[in-house]
Amino acid sequence: MKFKLTVLAAVLLAAMSAVCADHAENEILVKYKPGIRAQLSIKTVSAKAVGNFAETRTERIKLPKNISAEEAIEALKGKPGIEYVGFNHKLKVAAVYPNDPIFQEGYYNSDYDIGDLLGDYGDIWDILGPLYGDNGGLGGMLSGSAYQWGLWDREKGFDMKLPQAWEITTGSSEVIVAVLDTGIDYLHPDMADKVWWNPNEEDDGIDNDGNGFVDDVVGWNFVTDEPDPWDDHQTYGLMVQHGTVSSSIIGASTNNNLGIAGVAWNCPIMPIKVMAGDGTGLESDCADGIIYAVDMGVKIINMSLATDEDVPVLRDAVAYAVAHDVLCVCATGNEDSGAPHYPAAYPGALAVGAYNKSGERCTAADWGQGGSNYGDYIDVVAPGNTILGCSSMVKDQDYFFFDGTSAASPMACGVAALLKSVHPDWSAQRIAEQIKRTADDCGSPGYDIYTGYGRVNAYRALTETIEDITDLSAAKKADLGSYVNLNDMVLTTSSGEIENMLFAQTKNRISGVMLYFPSGAPEGYTAGDVVKISGSSDVYDGNFCIKNPTMEKTGETFEIKPFGMAGIRVGGGAYGKQPGVVDSYSYPRTFSEGLTNIGCIVRTAGKITAVGPDWFYISDGSPLDDGAGYDGIYVHTPDGVVRPNINKKVIITGVSTGSVVGNTSIVRRVLIPRRQSDITVLK
């Protein structure tokens, strides 16, 4: 059956002058019924078929300028052989652009006189100027670049893709975010509606909810031990209000025709003041604040604060949060330092560095001094250069620019809140892993110590599915960085036995794995505990590992039985991402080809051939050479384990591991006794 568009010449009138914005001008799509061969004669009206989609029996028709799409559709509707005729609709990225004027138009679009801006504080510009310069802060504002680029970047595109993410969720009122900082200006017009109110407490001098805090209607002030968490933070006499800035980045009132947009629009903010007006605070107050938030049922905490000291009380408080499935999102600090900073470096925390408008790690060129701290504990980076937030720095209850990981952390925290809103059943670790694994890679390919897994991408975090690998053997074959969720794993070491590590193996002893904690292994775990392990895969010092995992005890214990084997069988060959160990480092170099037992508990015997401060070699006569000049297996003795003397015959029970030789990629076999009883001296 043939159909002609010649009918259009007879029945269609003059073209419409207006063009609908939601479809292509002068185009239609025609879908034919099954079994109908489309052979349109369009010469009489100068129409043109410009695309044919055979799989769907559809043609794209370009109309002459004097025929509108509306008229063509009306004329062809109901014609024999035509199943559908309609517009060729325009598509756009699903996105929500709130009407907040600063989000839409920027802040201080025109140049301002510095004296007008700073008012009575104009005389201290000589102090503040060098800190901001032309790259960020006030310098950036004066150059007219003040807009919320971290949420929506109309220039370079290195934003967190929030408009697209907001199409999915703007946050849930059930997801409360605690902000441990200098407090909050709860009267700021863009924050007043976002401050959490304790539904079980009244301002009446009575501890109505029985939590030990009288009148904690809007959080608590641990600095002065009172219920008013007002933000009194000042720098050089200016009301900077660091905590208010952090809170507003996470969740300022949005789409309210006022001020700025927050990352998580509908998530309430619980203000917990742990820092004094001068921007300093005590670890004890911070620890108390963490415990308060956890006990009040919060599942996400932001801490835009840092110290280079590993303080026990703070470590224990973060561990308390992790144990209660609470995600601590923490700033890495701004000193351009590679040393660990806390609480970001504690196990279970999401450590957030900062990147600039060019998508690169922030340095002194962005901030005037310092730079985003780095190290093997950093997880991701988020926008941290010229970030707008609520502040009274220039005008009362207004807005201002801020730099640093203190701004980056609440950016990432807001994304965590969006994820929790969509997936209320997800654990803290699952949310953290989702953010890490959906980050946009930057810096060196893959994970690196400067930008972690990359730049936070809210839209990817909310839309991409990360495969859960539940089998250890499969995890070793998968790409490094894969999310691993292992059940019924048996711990083969106890907390504190081996620095920064725990080890676990399957109940059937087929496979074992290192659990690597760069900032120290968690306390309270005992060999034989059956646990659930969640985290991402990596390789550390020649060992396939799960880096910074979270663990949950099942309550079951399991008897650990070591494999007895000859020395040459310790370690084993390569398997997936687990490297094999070297048998002979010297020429001709050879490697083990047996089944890998790295990560498992093994037992072997031999004669001590060499002794060092925290190591010795044992040989059972197997031809082993790891390049150190000694025969046998390298045995590392942890703190508290005394090594035997040379020439003694011993039986060693320990963890089969590996260690990279020098600056090579060669892995030697290493045996680690866990405790003194793992070494038996025969004679």
Side-chain angles (χ1 to χ4, degrees), residues 74-289:
E74 187 63 31
L76 292 176
K77 277 183 179 179
K79 296 297 181 182
I82 294 179
E83 181 176 317
Y84 166 81
V85 59
F87 296 114
N88 190 5
H89 293 94
K90 291 181 179 180
L91 304 181
K92 63 180 180 179
V93 174
V96 174
Y97 298 90
N99 58 24
D100 305 80
I102 292 177
F103 178 83
Q104 290 283 347
E105 303 170 9
Y107 184 62
Y108 297 126
N109 289 335
S110 59
D111 291 346
Y112 274 62
D113 179 79
I114 188 64
D116 291 342
L117 283 173
L118 293 179
D120 294 338
Y121 300 111
D123 58 342
I124 67 168
W125 177 241
D126 289 339
I127 299 174
L128 291 178
L131 301 181
Y132 289 103
D134 294 326
N135 300 299
L138 190 56
M141 183 188 72
L142 292 176
S143 66
S145 61
Y147 62 98
Q148 292 188 273
W149 71 268
L151 309 184
W152 175 34
D153 186 2
R154 285 150 283 190
E155 295 178 359
K156 298 182 179 180
F158 292 113
D159 56 87
M160 297 196 302
K161 306 298 181 285
L162 263 305
Q164 295 90 332
W166 288 331
E167 182 75 13
I168 299 167
T169 182
T170 57
S172 166
S173 60
E174 300 298 316
V175 178
I176 302 166
V177 180
V179 178
L180 274 64
D181 214 298
T182 61
I184 194 170
D185 179 352
Y186 42 73
L187 299 179
H188 193 292
D190 230 359
M191 289 303 301
D193 291 339
K194 291 304 305 295
V195 178
W196 167 83
W197 287 82
N198 187 344
N200 300 313
E201 190 75 10
E202 297 180 11
D203 187 12
D204 58 3
I206 300 172
D207 182 12
N208 305 99
D209 59 4
N211 67 349
F213 298 89
V214 177
D215 294 346
D216 58 330
V217 177
V218 291
W220 195 259
N221 182 338
F222 284 93
V223 177
T224 58
D225 196 28
E226 61 181 339
D228 185 3
W230 180 257
D231 192 349
D232 58 352
H233 174 227
Q234 300 184 37
T235 298
Y236 298 115
L238 300 175
M239 290 299 297
V240 177
Q241 296 183 307
H242 188 277
T244 303
V245 174
S246 298
S247 298
S248 63
I249 292 171
I250 296 169
S253 294
T254 304
N255 209 32
N256 60 346
N257 281 301
L258 178 69
I260 64 173
V263 175
W265 300 9
N266 292 321
C267 296
I269 303 297
M270 178 188 291
I272 301 176
K273 184 175 176 65
V274 298
M275 310 290 281
D278 62 358
T280 64
L282 299 175
E283 65 171 286
S284 57
D285 289 339
C286 188
D288 286 341

Side-chain angles (χ1 to χ4, degrees), residues 26 101 107 208 225 249 272 305 312 411 435 447 528 542 569 651 660-661:
N26 297 114
Y107 184 62
N208 305 99
D225 196 28
I249 292 171
I272 301 176
L305 45 89
M411 284 279 193
I435 291 172
Y447 179 88
R569 298 302 179 193
I651 299 174
V660 175
V661 179

Side-chain angles (χ1 to χ4, degrees), residues 368-443:
Q369 62 182 7
S372 180
N373 290 348
Y374 54 92
D376 62 4
Y377 66 97
I378 186 173
D379 293 311
V380 290
V381 288
N385 182 214
T386 61
I387 303 302
L388 278 161
C390 296
S391 171
S392 294
M393 185 168 178
V394 175
K395 300 177 182 179
D396 286 344
Q397 297 179 333
D398 198 53
Y399 309 88
F400 205 71
F401 261 133
F402 295 88
D403 292 330
T405 58
S406 283
S409 181
M411 284 279 193
C413 182
V415 175
L418 294 179
L419 273 172
K420 188 68 174 178
S421 298
V422 174
H423 303 285
D425 58 325
W426 277 14
S427 68
Q429 180 69 13
R430 184 70 182 86
I431 291 173
E433 290 298 326
Q434 183 76 4
I435 291 172
K436 289 187 285 186
R437 300 315 307 152
T438 58
D440 295 328
D441 193 18
C442 56

Side-chain angles (χ1 to χ4, degrees), residues 330-342 344-346 349-354 361-362 371-381 405 436 446-454 516-519 538 540 547-548:
C330 306
T332 60
N334 309 322
E335 292 75 30
D336 199 27
S337 169
H341 278 61
Y342 306 94
Y346 289 135
L350 183 68
V352 184
R361 182 179 74 95
C362 288
S372 180
N373 290 348
Y374 54 92
D376 62 4
Y377 66 97
I378 186 173
D379 293 311
V380 290
V381 288
T405 58
K436 289 187 285 186
Y447 179 88
D448 65 78
I449 64 171
Y450 296 101
T451 60
Y453 289 97
Y516 176 53
F517 304 87
S519 301
D538 204 344
Y540 173 72
K547 184 178 179 182
N548 270 332

Side-chain angles (χ1 to χ4, degrees), residues 604-608 616 618 644 648-652 679-683:
T604 191
K607 182 179 179 180
I608 297 180
F616 59 91
I618 62 168
K648 293 289 186 180
K649 292 183 178 180
V650 295
I651 299 174
I652 305 293
I679 302 176
T680 301
V681 178
L682 299 178
K683 63 177 181 178

